[in-house]
Amino acid sequence: MMATHWFDGHELADLTERVAPGSVERSTDAACYLKVEGLRETMDTLRTSAETDFIFLSNLCGADYWDRLEVVYHLHSFEKNHLGTYKVELIDRDKPVVPSVVPVWHGAWMQECEAYDLFGIEFEGHPTLYRILLWEGFPGWPLRKDFLSMPGGLQPGLNEFAGTARRDEPPVRTVDE
Amino acid sequence: MEERDSLATDNWWDLRDLSNIAGEILDLAERIGGNELAFIVSPIIGFVAAFLIFILPTQLFLGVYGERKIIGRMQSRYGPNRVGPFGLLQPIADAVKLLTKESYTPRGADILVMYTAPIVFVAPAVMLMAVIPFGPNMVIADIPVAVLYFLAMASFPVIASFMAGWGSNNKYSLFGAMRIVAMTLSYEVPLVLVLLGTVVITGTMSLQDMVWWQSDNNIWLVFIAPVALVIFFIAVSAELNRTPVDIAEAESEIVAGYLTEYSGMKWGLFYGMDIAYALASACFAATIFFGGWSLFGLEQWVPPWILFIVKVYAFYFLFIWTRGTLPRLRIDQLMKFAWQFMLPLAALNLLLLAVQRLIVVEAEIETSAIWWLFGGINLIIAAAAIYGWAKVLGYRRDEVPERPRLVKEVGGYVPYDSSKGAR
Amino acid sequence: MSNFVHGEPFVINIGPQHPSTHGVFRIKATVDGEQITEAEMVMGYLHRSMEKLAEERTYTQNIPFTDRTDYLSSMANNLGYCLAVEKLAGIDVPERGDAIRVIMAELQRLASHCMAVGAFANDTGAWQTPVMWSFREREKILDLFEMTCGARLTCNYMRIGGVAFDLPEGFVEKTREIMASFPAFLDEMEGLLSGNEIFITRSRNVGTLPPESAISSSLSGPMLRASGVAWDLRRADPYCGYEKYDFDIPIGYNGDCYDRFIVRLEEMRQSVNIVNQALDSLPGGPHSTEVPLSLRPPAGEAYARVEGSRGELGYYLVSDGGPAPFRFHIRPPSFINLSALREMTVGGSVADAIVVLGSIDVVVGEIDR
């Protein structure tokens, strides 16, 4: 068997447009951007279609580009042995919402929780979206670029010298709004 | 009980029977201080002798040091080798460490129950030793229902374990307590049945008389009823929480079971007495199945108590061996094994032995060679019964091979066709 | 089952401090007697926010971080990260560097699987013997690592463009010696466990995962292969010259814990095979290309993955042209393999849950990062 075929963005956009018409927003060299609306149906089509056969969700993660948030999907096919990079662009930083793909791939369950935990991306339709690594009520979304200037976000450094910090207060400063 | 020839001479220096020297000392005490002094001296002698000859070396240096060392060698590591020569003082260092550790009591624990549990656990372990015959005259209490006594005493730890698990206010402890009660109740039944078989054969419940019976007939009970020994070993392992069936304190599942919240010497008592129970069971097995202190006439020359101790150690080694080798069963599998597999076998064993005893008694067969014949028959029947009963229960060897399939090409699911074999 | 007895649900916390969770991981299990009716995973006790930390450090400085994710297979982590950076910056690795990487990655797989099978046997209740035997063999491999790079666990050996140092003198002979004795250890383990009736009863048909749900749950590595899916990135998407080596991919029969165990054992045999081949064909030449200390890859992104010991270990890097990655994401196999934990444990007993968790072979440093 040949080595994995890594689609480049434009090639993948063509393929996707063929399989699921009207789902592609734009494409770059690296990835094919999908429309947020109907994402789950698009993904389901991509999974079941014989041409794409993306039955394996290799990776799902968020990314922050200052002006927008992105969700990255690396999808793989075992039979055809090809890999495609899909992205979803989220302009609204305050309340980024994207349809969950858990019904399509159960493996997205924990990865979406992680993206929610660290980027604050809401996955609509996720069965149990909770902060998987941090605790509920952790201020801010740590992997965002503007984490340090978020309202209620943490500031690096301790108030006092380490070890002398009082136990009853957390040894961190918060930024007042 | 009829008078028997003592195996040893009556000289006090005859090491083959330590009761002579004890008797000399008691006579001396009686001459000096009368009956009262002798009455005080005799338990001291018993205790000192038992402690020096058996309990100290066995408990510390077989039970703790030996077990750790042997398991260490099985696991290709050294085992204790730092404290004292060859690490021999390790048990003492352990004991000192346990004594100096904090004896922690969790909040919400039922203190009365939790603190009483080690005591309830320890007392029967010491009392078990009373009925074990170390030599023809060397037995502390030769009571006529020693087997019954043993079973009664050996059931005590269950109560102690349940108290420990309940009193600790810990969910893991409760799990362990529930498991041990369920398990012990199940395994008591086959255990009693196989011991009943030996009682039927020998016609006595006194351990000393059982040894005499084996010595007179020149046969060990293990040759007459081999399957009884196997069932006894498994059942006793289960009662003692030894590894293949140690689900009550399964380390990897429920942390330490009913011992989770115990620390310091409270835990140390449980640990030490676990070994004591295992030793007592080994003593019991050596007495009932391996002829106790007798060895086909050799006991005339070698001190019988040494023979006995060697047998005990050999049996105890089996415990260590299984502990170092076998994985653990799940509780439902364990229960199934007890009720479905061991119980019918034990019943069959009892039936066979009863019939054979009846034949011997009714036909008034005097020769003991008949028992060898019966032993052979029993062995064959046991093998057939184990095999057949396993078949009946639907046991078969796993059809799926022990090596995975090997493929060269990747790309999706490869269905398994069992007809084509592994590769 | 207990319709006539009403009581509160009995919740038992398996972890975070528990002998069998292999770290600070917690399963909140609701049990009905011994049967688990609901299992909830709680993690994050070891979260160090490596992905954020990595955005502050240069590409080379991030290599030691990757050691600390999956601390049982640090070489594979190094390799995955370096491959991603090389893909991002378009750096070629000399042949000798590739061969050394393959040797190290396979040795690391051996060491990691030693731990996996030993700990798994421990979870089924074999009291320490298999794990001690595994550790005996693992020590030898860690000695090789120590010989090469001075560290045993967190090696930090791979570099962008190759490896940090050339192989030391005597390494090849020593490795050959160990590889020659390794199959004997595997036979020993098989003799102790594979045919053991109790072991089979405990692990056979426990935590069974059909291939469809294994794929859907994004499982990878031995977990996926045990379900009968022939998938191995070393063969499917060769990196570091894996296409040159001849090896087989072991796959299981019905995806239960026993299959995962035997698949791991067989993978170790194949790894020994690969190491031997790589040693035989070890090319000369430089072990690394010159890479500027403050590497500034062009803006773009790269996703590289390797077949780590626990599965597909991916690194997703985004560069904005600066000296530090703009986005650094790890696709941790043991984290994603846990997706199927609930499916495998609910309905089984507590003892089964422990066996299942042991068969997943989790490393909590990697789950929490």
Side-chain angles (χ1 to χ4, degrees):
Chain A
M1 188 184 255
M2 293 299 293
T4 304
H5 176 62
W6 293 64
F7 285 112
D8 82 349
H10 306 300
E11 192 186 347
L12 188 61
D14 292 344
L15 180 67
T16 312
E17 197 60 38
R18 236 185 3 259
V19 172
S23 60
V24 177
E25 191 169 319
R26 64 191 174 92
S27 61
T28 63
D29 284 344
C32 164
Y33 285 80
L34 295 178
K35 286 181 182 146
V36 179
E37 301 82 44
L39 178 76
R40 190 181 305 152
E41 290 72 31
T42 312
M43 288 298 191
D44 205 32
T45 318
L46 289 176
R47 191 179 81 90
T48 47
S49 151
E51 200 169 350
T52 46
D53 186 41
F54 286 131
I55 58 166
F56 187 72
L57 174 74
S58 175
N59 181 30
L60 187 158
C61 68
D64 185 6
Y65 291 89
W66 289 106
D67 56 337
R68 64 183 194 277
L69 290 171
E70 280 180 359
V71 183
V72 188
Y73 304 87
H74 287 98
L75 306 181
H76 209 124
S77 161
F78 287 160
E79 304 268 325
K80 300 208 178 292
N81 199 3
H82 57 209
L83 183 141
T85 311
Y86 287 99
K87 287 189 179 183
V88 171
E89 212 171 37
L90 304 166
I91 305 293
D92 182 10
R93 289 180 66 85
D94 294 331
K95 193 168 168 40
V97 179
V98 64
S100 167
V101 293
V102 174
V104 187
W105 298 283
H106 183 250
W109 192 87
M110 291 174 80
Q111 306 190 52
E112 285 187 352
C113 279
E114 194 196 334
Y116 166 71
D117 189 2
L118 303 176
F119 285 95
I121 301 169
E122 295 265 353
F123 289 90
E124 217 171 26
H126 190 285
T128 48
L129 197 65
Y130 70 108
R131 304 199 73 155
I132 193 163
L133 295 176
L134 303 168
W135 57 95
E136 289 299 331
F138 185 87
W141 312 105
L143 273 187
R144 288 208 191 171
K145 293 287 176 187
D146 54 356
F147 170 58
L148 294 184
S149 57
M150 273 181 183
L154 297 181
Q155 283 286 301
L158 301 168
N159 277 336
E160 297 138 272
F161 284 110
T164 62
R166 290 195 304 278
R167 281 291 179 83
D168 48 354
E169 284 175 22
V172 288
R173 266 182 303 147
T174 54
V175 182
D176 296 325
E177 257 188 295
Chain B
M1 194 171 19
E2 76 270 33
E3 202 59 34
R4 290 181 190 273
D5 292 338
S6 183
L7 293 172
T9 61
D10 289 340
N11 301 318
W12 64 269
W13 38 262
D14 194 344
L15 282 182
R16 282 175 293 172
D17 192 345
L18 292 179
S19 66
N20 292 340
I21 190 169
E24 290 287 326
I25 294 172
L26 281 183
D27 282 353
L28 189 69
E30 200 170 353
R31 275 204 298 279
I32 295 170
N35 225 351
E36 296 80 6
L37 187 65
F39 203 72
I40 297 166
V41 168
S42 73
I44 298 175
I45 297 172
F47 182 74
V48 168
F51 197 77
L52 286 184
I53 295 168
F54 187 67
I55 296 179
L56 184 75
T58 310
Q59 181 92 354
L60 289 182
F61 298 113
L62 179 82
V64 182
Y65 174 79
E67 177 150 358
R68 285 173 65 174
K69 197 83 180 171
I70 292 169
I71 285 204
R73 300 314 306 191
M74 283 177 181
Q75 299 175 348
S76 67
R77 58 187 170 86
Y78 287 113
N81 65 347
R82 286 284 170 247
V83 192
F86 309 107
L88 270 170
L89 297 181
Q90 185 68 43
I92 293 161
D94 282 354
V96 170
K97 185 205 78 169
L98 283 175
L99 282 171
T100 52
K101 270 179 90 170
E102 183 195 355
S103 182
Y104 174 77
T105 310
R107 190 173 57 194
D110 191 335
I111 292 180
L112 180 71
V113 175
M114 191 182 173
Y115 276 61
T116 329
I119 303 167
V120 178
F121 199 74
V122 167
V126 182
M127 288 161 75
L128 271 178
M129 291 291 177
V131 293
I132 306 288
F134 286 80
N137 298 320
M138 290 165 64
V139 53
I140 296 172
D142 186 12
I143 55 177
V145 286
V147 176
L148 207 59
Y149 174 87
F150 177 87
L151 285 170
M153 282 299 151
S155 308
F156 257 93
V158 191
I159 299 171
S161 310
F162 190 71
M163 284 165 74
W166 184 259
S168 298
N169 189 27
N170 180 312
K171 288 177 179 176
Y172 288 120
S173 302
L174 193 58
F175 251 91
M178 291 301 177
R179 283 180 175 192
I180 197 170
V181 170
M183 184 171 76
T184 312
L185 288 183
S186 312
Y187 275 83
E188 201 98 303
V189 181
L191 179 66
V192 170
L193 281 181
V194 293
L195 288 182
L196 191 56
T198 61
V199 170
V200 164
I201 286 277
T202 53
T204 172
M205 272 193 166
S206 155
L207 289 180
Q208 186 70 286
D209 288 354
M210 280 194 178
V211 177
W212 279 115
W213 188 92
Q214 297 180 58
S215 168
D216 291 345
N217 285 308
N218 270 325
I219 187 169
W220 292 351
L221 275 173
V222 62
F223 298 127
I224 301 177
V227 72
L229 177 75
V230 176
I231 293 177
F232 176 85
F233 180 72
I234 296 172
V236 153
S237 299
E239 297 225 343
L240 296 171
N241 270 316
R242 307 293 299 189
T243 276
V245 281
D246 66 338
I247 56 163
E249 45 189 286
E251 187 213 327
S252 60
E253 291 159 24
I254 49 171
V255 191
Y258 57 89
L259 295 177
T260 307
E261 294 290 356
Y262 279 86
S263 62
M265 206 55 209
K266 274 194 287 179
W267 179 82
L269 286 175
F270 274 109
Y271 174 65
M273 287 309 121
D274 251 357
I275 296 167
Y277 277 113
L279 278 173
S281 307
C283 290
F284 201 67
T287 306
I288 289 188
F289 291 106
F290 294 102
W293 42 262
S294 70
L295 189 71
F296 306 119
L298 198 67
E299 69 268 15
Q300 298 284 356
W301 311 100
V302 183
W305 48 276
I306 288 188
L307 289 177
F308 179 71
I309 289 175
V310 167
K311 285 177 187 174
V312 170
Y313 284 12
F315 197 81
Y316 193 75
F317 177 74
L318 275 182
F319 279 131
I320 302 178
W321 196 2
T322 50
R323 182 165 182 225
T325 323
L326 293 177
R328 180 191 311 122
L329 280 161
R330 211 167 55 208
I331 181 147
D332 55 330
Q333 297 161 347
L334 208 60
M335 293 292 173
K336 207 173 147 187
F337 187 67
W339 289 108
Q340 294 193 352
F341 196 77
M342 278 182 20
L343 187 61
L345 279 184
L348 178 69
N349 176 56
L350 176 61
L351 180 72
L352 277 176
L353 293 184
V355 168
Q356 288 161 2
R357 169 77 185 177
L358 196 66
I359 293 171
V360 170
V361 171
E362 291 296 317
E364 286 168 7
I365 298 167
E366 289 298 318
T367 169
S368 61
I370 187 77
W371 289 113
W372 287 101
L373 177 66
F374 284 150
I377 294 170
N378 285 351
L379 186 66
I380 295 164
I381 293 179
I386 290 175
Y387 184 78
W389 191 238
K391 281 270 179 215
V392 169
L393 285 183
Y395 172 83
R396 53 181 162 60
R397 253 198 101 68
D398 214 345
E399 282 163 3
V400 185
E402 288 166 10
R403 298 287 282 273
R405 293 175 279 168
L406 295 177
V407 292
K408 281 279 182 203
E409 289 299 319
V410 293
Y413 175 56
V414 183
Y416 171 55
D417 185 4
S418 60
S419 59
K420 277 199 278 184
R423 297 183 185 230
Chain C
M1 187 172 167
S2 55
N3 281 331
F4 53 93
V5 183
H6 296 287
E8 56 183 304
F10 193 78
V11 178
I12 185 165
N13 275 311
I14 305 176
Q17 277 84 38
H18 189 280
S20 295
T21 50
H22 308 286
V24 279
F25 173 73
R26 175 170 154 214
I27 304 172
K28 235 166 106 180
T30 310
V31 293
D32 177 8
E34 286 268 340
Q35 199 186 24
I36 295 184
T37 53
E38 183 57 52
E40 188 190 328
M41 285 173 281
V42 183
M43 55 192 84
Y45 295 94
L46 209 60
H47 182 56
R48 292 151 291 176
S49 193
M50 274 180 188
E51 299 184 358
K52 188 77 177 173
L53 289 171
E55 291 174 8
E56 307 288 326
R57 280 152 180 81
T58 66
Y59 285 95
T60 318
Q61 282 172 340
N62 279 335
I63 298 174
F65 276 153
T66 63
D67 287 336
R68 269 86 179 162
T69 55
D70 184 352
Y71 38 77
L72 288 181
S73 62
S74 57
M75 288 286 189
N77 284 271
N78 287 176
L79 178 59
Y81 174 69
C82 291
L83 284 176
V85 179
E86 282 152 17
K87 202 165 168 184
L88 196 60
I91 298 168
D92 285 330
V93 182
E95 272 192 354
R96 186 178 172 83
D98 266 348
I100 294 176
R101 281 179 170 191
V102 168
I103 293 172
M104 289 302 164
E106 293 305 319
L107 286 177
Q108 186 71 74
R109 189 189 314 279
L110 287 175
S112 175
H113 278 357
C114 272
M115 180 76 203
V117 295
F120 174 61
N122 216 16
D123 287 344
T124 60
W127 195 77
Q128 299 286 339
T129 305
V131 84
M132 281 294 163
W133 288 9
S134 314
F135 265 53
R136 183 187 63 204
E137 300 302 314
R138 184 169 169 264
E139 284 300 300
K140 296 177 188 167
I141 293 165
L142 296 190
D143 283 346
L144 286 178
F145 290 160
E146 191 179 6
M147 196 175 171
T148 316
C149 59
R152 295 161 67 81
L153 205 61
T154 50
C155 299
N156 188 16
Y157 177 61
M158 312 270 176
R159 290 289 181 275
I160 299 157
V163 292
F165 325 103
D166 206 348
L167 293 178
E169 219 170 286
F171 178 88
V172 176
E173 293 75 34
K174 189 79 188 154
T175 313
R176 275 190 205 284
E177 200 180 294
I178 291 169
M179 287 306 115
S181 70
F182 209 88
F185 155 69
L186 294 173
D187 291 339
E188 206 176 50
M189 282 299 267
E190 278 184 351
L192 182 68
L193 292 173
S194 288
N196 187 326
E197 210 51 67
I198 300 179
F199 184 77
I200 294 175
T201 331
R202 274 310 294 281
S203 53
R204 186 53 94 192
N205 293 327
V206 168
T208 310
L209 208 58
E212 302 80 35
S213 62
I215 294 170
S216 168
S217 300
S218 295
L219 301 194
S220 48
M223 295 273 295
L224 184 62
R225 288 193 278 277
S227 290
V229 182
W231 187 250
D232 189 324
L233 285 175
R234 292 175 291 175
R235 182 56 54 75
D237 189 12
Y239 52 92
C240 288
Y242 265 112
E243 64 274 9
K244 288 184 291 196
Y245 307 113
D246 175 45
F247 61 96
D248 295 323
I249 300 159
I251 54 174
Y253 302 94
N254 45 14
D256 48 24
C257 295
Y258 185 78
D259 276 347
R260 283 167 214 144
F261 173 79
I262 55 175
V263 161
R264 286 205 174 90
L265 275 185
E266 187 63 36
E267 265 181 36
M268 284 156 90
R269 280 181 207 281
Q270 302 300 331
S271 287
V272 171
N273 217 347
I274 296 175
V275 171
N276 281 332
Q277 292 174 41
L279 287 174
D280 288 340
S281 63
L282 189 64
H287 59 84
S288 178
T289 43
E290 287 291 323
V291 171
L293 202 58
S294 78
L295 180 72
R296 287 167 188 272
E301 60 175 70
Y303 178 63
R305 64 258 163 89
V306 296
E307 185 70 31
S309 330
R310 283 164 192 77
E312 178 178 336
L313 174 67
Y315 280 86
Y316 177 66
L317 291 176
V318 179
S319 162
D320 60 348
F326 185 76
R327 172 85 175 100
F328 173 89
H329 175 74
I330 307 168
R331 183 224 191 264
S334 48
F335 176 69
I336 295 169
N337 285 354
L338 278 177
S339 318
L341 181 70
R342 195 182 167 279
E343 186 184 337
M344 290 192 280
T345 48
V346 170
S349 73
V350 176
D352 282 347
I354 300 296
V355 172
V356 166
L357 191 64
S359 76
I360 297 177
D361 184 24
V362 291
V363 172
V364 178
E366 193 182 38
I367 294 171
D368 293 342
R369 282 154 293 152

